[in-house]
Amino acid sequence: MAGALVDVKPTPILKAELDIVIPAIQNLDFLERWRPYFEPYHLIIVQDGDPSRTIKVPDGFDCELYNRNDINRILGPKASCISFKDSACRCFGYLVSKKKYIFTIDEDCFVAKDPSGKEINALEQHIKNLLNPSTPLFFNTLYDPYREDADLFHGYPFNLRGGVPTAVSHGLWLNIPDYDAPTQLANPLERNTRFVDAVLTIPKGTLFPMCDMNLAFNRELIGPAMYFGLMGDGQPIGRYGDMWAGWCMKVICDHLGYGVKTGLPYVWHSKARNPFVNLKKEYYGIFWQEEVYAVSSYLDNHPGGDKVVLAATGRDATEDFEDAGHSNTARELDTTSSAIPELGITSKNQPVDYLQKIKDLTKPIWADADTWFERQQQEEEM
């Protein structure tokens, strides 16, 4: 009919240039909540666990689904580089994608709402973050100056106002906090209800704990840096893949001159994982991180230089220390002095000792797993 109005929906931003990667261990019913936002895009689903199980994806989504058999077939003898029974299996999705951008989300994350009650289109905000420059070299006190109705503050150097390309957009979450097991045990009923309407560029030279459950990045700029490393089944450490990848990625971005943003968008994190299971997966990583980070703060002050200290990391350095012929003054510098931070552990501690320390710390708060889950269930029924 002449003159009839035609309802033409706008083409989603970056529709042809972005893949959504989802690690999955169960049916992806959660996608129904995301349908208005995800349906136009291509999904890459990496099934974790038993490959004989059939994972169902709601109708209407353009997707590829890979299980462990597919990974073994495609990668052959190199398939062992993809983690098993850990969310780090999502790295296979990064590998097979041919798109410029990746957005990855967990299946226990749902659409959040801002304080006005409006649904948050997390994917759209991630895309805005990635398409706008970052400011890692000089902090802007008005947060992200490239957002609508924002600008660079008085005193910001004009020669830096062009910013740098944004490589990573790190989103946050409402409801269940992304805590490590000891903090989760100590704060089982805590929920994040604070919505902060801000996006920040993480300054150059600063690390941060990256979470993979609400994350987007420019695959062409730093794709290989987003490899999460081996975690989970058959590995001594679990639940650290995203954090360690985040540290490596940030150092690489600093070196290459790229930016990393954090803040918006929020998602609604719906499920608290078993903290006792998490503790078994995490304690080697916690031990390694606390030991190495403690020593790193002393590197610049070590009279013999940092190289000799770095050469002995990850093991008992007593023999190295004795072979160097240290003076009595040097021998007086131990972990109880102000030269090296006091962590309550020494280089001779084994990870199992640190695990016991965590257990002792949390025991007065929660006697056992039944108590923890009983209290959580009571809260959910309120």
Side-chain angles (χ1 to χ4, degrees):
M1 179 185 297
L5 295 176
V6 179
D7 183 16
V8 180
K9 293 183 179 180
T11 302
I13 309 172
L14 300 182
K15 180 179 184 297
E17 299 181 78
L18 182 142
D19 278 333
I20 300 175
V21 174
I22 304 171
I25 58 174
Q26 59 189 357
N27 294 337
L28 296 181
D29 298 330
F30 91 112
L31 285 175
E32 289 292 355
R33 298 280 298 276
W34 288 102
R35 185 179 290 276
Y37 311 112
F38 289 2
E39 193 171 26
Y41 293 87
H42 179 67
L43 278 57
I44 299 176
I45 300 165
V46 184
Q47 177 180 338
D48 197 15
D50 184 0
S52 66
R53 294 182 61 244
T54 300
I55 286 183
K56 295 181 180 180
V57 181
D59 294 336
F61 287 94
D62 172 26
C63 66
E64 304 170 65
L65 192 154
Y66 298 93
N67 60 31
R68 195 70 203 185
N69 291 338
D70 299 316
I71 295 173
N72 293 338
R73 173 177 52 81
I74 294 171
L75 295 183
K78 297 181 180 179
S80 59
C81 72
I82 302 299
S83 297
F84 186 59
K85 293 185 179 179
D86 189 90
S87 66
C89 69
R90 75 183 75 219
C91 290
F92 183 75
Y94 305 165
L95 179 65
V96 298
S97 173
K98 301 297 187 292
K99 303 290 180 61
K100 182 176 181 178
Y101 300 98
I102 294 288
F103 168 55
T104 184
I105 187 170
D106 282 2
E107 58 191 348
D108 58 359
C109 293
F110 297 90
V111 180
K113 295 182 179 180
D114 66 20
S116 72
K118 180 182 178 182
E119 286 194 345
I120 299 169
N121 184 346
L123 179 54
E124 181 180 58
Q125 180 63 52
H126 275 301
I127 291 172
K128 289 180 179 179
N129 291 347
L130 291 172
L131 293 183
N132 286 317
S134 293
T135 55
L137 303 177
F138 201 94
F139 186 77
N140 188 59
T141 50
L142 290 178
Y143 307 117
D144 189 346
Y146 302 102
R147 290 184 65 192
E148 187 177 355
D149 298 325
D151 210 334
L152 292 150
F153 198 50
H154 173 69
Y156 198 98
F158 283 94
N159 65 321
L160 296 177
R161 294 194 175 199
V164 303
T166 300
V168 174
S169 172
H170 180 253
L172 300 178
W173 49 92
L174 296 171
N175 197 35
I176 305 293
D178 183 41
Y179 283 153
D180 54 53
T183 308
Q184 186 183 2
L185 283 163
N187 304 278
L189 305 183
E190 185 172 332
R191 298 294 180 265
N192 179 32
T193 60
R194 296 182 294 274
F195 178 94
V196 181
D197 186 14
V199 180
L200 301 173
T201 293
I202 301 174
K204 182 177 181 180
T206 301
L207 300 181
F208 74 109
M210 186 176 79
C211 175
D212 58 11
M213 65 185 179
N214 177 23
L215 181 71
F217 62 93
N218 186 320
R219 184 175 168 274
E220 290 186 358
L221 289 183
I222 45 91
M226 297 301 285
Y227 173 68
F228 283 6
L230 288 173
M231 294 280 145
D233 195 45
Q235 305 302 322
I237 297 176
R239 289 174 50 80
Y240 264 83
D242 49 357
M243 286 175 283
W244 287 358
W247 299 345
C248 294
M249 171 277 298
K250 184 57 168 60
V251 171
I252 290 169
C253 284
D254 288 348
H255 177 71
L256 296 178
Y258 299 141
V260 178
K261 293 186 178 183
T262 188
L264 299 180
Y266 283 92
V267 296
W268 182 269
H269 188 210
S270 66
K271 184 170 61 177
R273 300 185 185 279
N274 188 322
F276 299 94
V277 173
N278 289 348
L279 186 58
K280 292 180 181 179
K281 295 178 179 179
E282 293 173 4
Y283 76 89
Y284 280 100
I286 294 172
F287 175 83
W288 180 91
Q289 181 178 341
E290 298 305 317
E291 286 276 81
V292 172
Y293 196 78
V295 173
S296 67
S297 63
Y298 177 61
L299 292 180
D300 292 339
N301 297 321
H302 184 249
D306 60 355
K307 292 184 179 179
V308 292
V309 179
L310 291 172
T313 55
R315 58 184 171 85
D316 185 352
T318 302
E319 186 175 339
D320 301 74
F321 182 86
E322 296 297 342
D323 289 345
H326 283 87
S327 65
N328 290 334
T329 301
R331 292 176 182 277
E332 293 174 0
L333 290 175
D334 58 20
T335 55
T336 63
S337 74
S338 60
I340 303 177
E342 172 59 57
L343 295 177
I345 53 177
T346 71
S347 60
K348 293 184 178 181
N349 285 138
Q350 296 299 315
V352 66
D353 297 329
Y354 196 49
L355 174 61
Q356 187 60 51
K357 184 178 288 291
I358 295 172
K359 287 181 177 179
D360 293 342
L361 175 67
T362 58
K363 187 175 181 180
I365 304 170
W366 303 117
D368 52 37
D370 292 337
T371 302
W372 191 91
F373 285 111
E374 180 181 347
R375 294 190 179 225
Q376 186 182 51
Q377 184 66 33
Q378 289 174 352
E379 186 218 23
E380 293 174 352
E381 292 174 353
M382 291 176 61

